[in-house]
Amino acid sequence: MSTADDRPQPVDLPLLQIGGPPADDGLSSGGGGCGDVCGCEGDDDAFGLDPMECGLDPSLAELLVDAGLDPVQIEDIAHMAIEEDLDHGVDVTTVATIPEDAVATGDFTAREAGTVAGLRIAEAILSVVCTDEFEVERHVEDGDRVVPGQKLLSVRTRTRDLLTGERSALNLLCRLSGIATATRAWADVLEGTGAAVRDTRKTTPGLRSLEKYAVRCGGGVNHRMSLSDAALIKDNHVVAAGGVAAAFKAVRTEFPDVPIEVEVDRLDQIEPVLREGADLILLDNFSPEGTREAVELVAGRARLESSGRLTLRTARDYAETGVDYLAVGALTHSSPILDIGLDLCEEQG
C-alpha cells in the first residue's frame, strides 16, 4: 500500500500563456494581445508572429487576418473539430451511402433572421476535411443581417467531404452567428446614445477569440482578451490587498504601463479611485439613477462601465446616463445559436 510520500510530487511548472513570445527565462511564454478594437487598446502586432504560416489557402488566411483572427489558431480549431467528430475513424454513414467520386453543391442557408458571423471559419473547417479543392460562392459577409431562407455560402466539392465537415462547420457558424445576433440587438438599442455594449471573459475555453470576433460582427466592442492585457481590480483583490488604494498602487508599481479598471459598488468609493488615477471605473449593480450620479461625479475624469442588472429593456436607460460601456457577459455565455442549415442542391442531368 502506497503512502502520500510514495506518490509522485507535482512539479511547479510555469503558467503557459497563449499568444505571446517566450519570456526571458526561456521557460514560460508571454501572453495577451487584444487587438485595436479591445477596450484596453492593446496591440496584437507587437509579438512579431507571422499568422500566414499556416496550411490554409493563402487568400482565406488573408481574409482571416483582415478580420482580426489568427489563421494558425483557426486551422488548429478546425483540425480539433474534425478530429473530435471522426474520433480516429471515418464517417461511417457517409462512406456507406455516398459514392467516393460523387460531387455536390451545398448551400449554407439561414433558417431564421439574425446577424451572421463565422463564414470564413466554416470555410477553414471544410478546407481541412476536403481531400480535393473546393469551389466557394460567398453570398453575404460576416456582420450582415440575414433573413430566413437566405443563402450565406455555397460550396461545391466531394459529397463525402462536404457531409463529413457539415456538422463541425455548422456548430461554429451557428454559435458565432448567435452571439453576433444577440450583440446586434444590444447595439440597436444603444444606437445614438454614445455608449457601446462590450463583452467579458465569460467565454468558451479555446474559443475566446472567435466569440469576441462574433461580438464585433454584431456591433459590440471587446473588453480585455486576457488577464495580461489590462488590470481589473475587483472586490476579492481589494480584500486580499487590504483596500482599493493598496490594490491600485500594487498593480501600478508592478505593471506601470497596464491600463487599470477598478470595480466599485458605492458612490463614495469613486473619488478615492479617481485620486489614484484609474483609467476606467466599473459600476457594479448601480441603478440608472445611481449611474447618472456617478457620471456627474466623475465628470469625464475616467471612462465608466455599467455591469449587473442590465437587460435589453433597461439598456437604453443606462446608456442615456452617459456611461461609455455596458458590460454584458451573456453575449458570450448565454446567447442561443442562430439556426443555419446545409442543403444539398439537386444535380441537373
Side-chain angles (χ1 to χ4, degrees), residues 135-164:
E135 300 174 5
V136 172
E137 184 178 0
R138 297 163 180 154
H139 304 291
V140 300
E141 293 297 330
D142 284 351
D144 287 351
R145 300 177 192 257
V146 298
V147 297
Q150 185 171 356
K151 291 181 183 180
L152 312 179
L153 180 72
S154 296
V155 179
R156 183 170 179 78
T157 187
R158 291 181 65 217
T159 312
R160 282 187 175 185
D161 294 341
L162 185 57
L163 295 184
T164 296

Side-chain angles (χ1 to χ4, degrees), residues 230-273:
L232 175 53
I233 299 173
K234 304 190 74 174
D235 51 0
N236 285 334
H237 300 105
V238 172
V239 171
V244 172
F248 190 97
K249 289 176 181 176
V251 175
R252 181 61 78 214
T253 299
E254 188 74 16
F255 302 101
D257 299 323
V258 169
I260 302 178
E261 180 176 4
V262 182
E263 178 186 87
V264 301
D265 54 22
R266 301 192 315 270
L267 281 171
D268 64 286
Q269 296 172 325
I270 292 178
E271 197 61 51
V273 167

Side-chain angles (χ1 to χ4, degrees), residues 1-340:
M1 180 176 179
S2 63
T3 65
D5 291 335
D6 297 326
R7 292 193 294 267
Q9 297 300 304
V11 179
D12 187 16
L13 295 175
L15 178 66
L16 178 63
Q17 294 181 312
I18 306 300
D24 292 340
D25 58 13
L27 298 175
S28 58
S29 72
C34 46
D36 57 8
V37 295
C38 177
C40 70
E41 300 173 357
D43 182 7
D44 249 349
D45 296 329
F47 301 129
L49 304 177
D50 185 0
M52 301 302 288
E53 291 185 0
C54 66
L56 300 178
D57 179 82
S59 61
L60 176 58
E62 187 172 349
L63 289 174
L64 292 169
V65 170
D66 290 343
L69 297 169
D70 181 354
V72 175
Q73 182 191 33
I74 301 304
E75 185 184 20
D76 288 344
I77 290 173
H79 277 286
M80 179 183 68
I82 294 299
E83 289 165 6
E84 179 181 58
D85 232 5
L86 291 178
D87 194 22
H88 305 289
V90 297
D91 178 355
V92 294
T93 311
T94 296
V95 169
T97 60
I98 307 297
E100 186 175 2
D101 59 351
V103 174
T105 298
D107 296 325
F108 287 87
T109 305
R111 303 280 196 252
E112 59 183 328
T115 298
V116 69
L119 289 168
R120 302 297 82 79
I121 296 160
E123 286 185 39
I125 291 174
L126 292 176
S127 72
V128 165
V129 74
C130 286
T131 53
D132 294 330
E133 291 186 4
F134 59 92
E135 300 174 5
V136 172
E137 184 178 0
R138 297 163 180 154
H139 304 291
V140 300
E141 293 297 330
D142 284 351
D144 287 351
R145 300 177 192 257
V146 298
V147 297
Q150 185 171 356
K151 291 181 183 180
L152 312 179
L153 180 72
S154 296
V155 179
R156 183 170 179 78
T157 187
R158 291 181 65 217
T159 312
R160 282 187 175 185
D161 294 341
L162 185 57
L163 295 184
T164 296
E166 172 187 2
R167 178 43 51 197
S168 294
L170 284 174
N171 281 346
L172 280 175
L173 181 58
C174 293
R175 167 72 177 153
L176 300 183
S177 296
I179 292 172
T181 299
T183 305
R184 178 58 63 189
W186 284 83
D188 287 348
V189 167
L190 301 182
E191 187 173 1
T193 65
V197 61
R198 71 176 182 173
D199 50 32
T200 68
R201 289 188 301 110
K202 297 174 182 178
T203 54
T204 307
L207 298 181
R208 177 172 295 170
S209 65
L210 303 192
E211 293 177 347
K212 283 179 172 281
Y213 166 69
V215 167
R216 301 198 298 271
C217 289
V221 297
N222 297 147
H223 193 218
R224 57 182 181 167
M225 291 290 284
S226 73
L227 292 170
S228 63
D229 296 334
L232 175 53
I233 299 173
K234 304 190 74 174
D235 51 0
N236 285 334
H237 300 105
V238 172
V239 171
V244 172
F248 190 97
K249 289 176 181 176
V251 175
R252 181 61 78 214
T253 299
E254 188 74 16
F255 302 101
D257 299 323
V258 169
I260 302 178
E261 180 176 4
V262 182
E263 178 186 87
V264 301
D265 54 22
R266 301 192 315 270
L267 281 171
D268 64 286
Q269 296 172 325
I270 292 178
E271 197 61 51
V273 167
L274 287 172
R275 284 197 299 268
E276 294 298 332
D279 302 285
L280 196 151
I281 299 174
L282 177 69
L283 306 173
D284 184 42
N285 285 305
F286 276 55
S287 66
E289 295 74 20
T291 302
R292 193 177 301 278
E293 290 183 59
V295 170
E296 294 173 356
L297 177 61
V298 172
R301 289 178 287 173
R303 289 176 292 170
L304 290 171
E305 179 173 27
S306 289
S307 177
R309 297 188 182 182
L310 304 178
T311 66
L312 273 175
R313 186 178 60 82
T314 63
R316 195 167 184 91
D317 293 336
Y318 279 91
E320 289 178 343
T321 65
V323 293
D324 300 282
Y325 303 111
L326 273 65
V328 181
L331 296 179
T332 53
H333 72 60
S334 295
S335 292
I337 67 163
L338 183 69
D339 191 5
I340 299 171

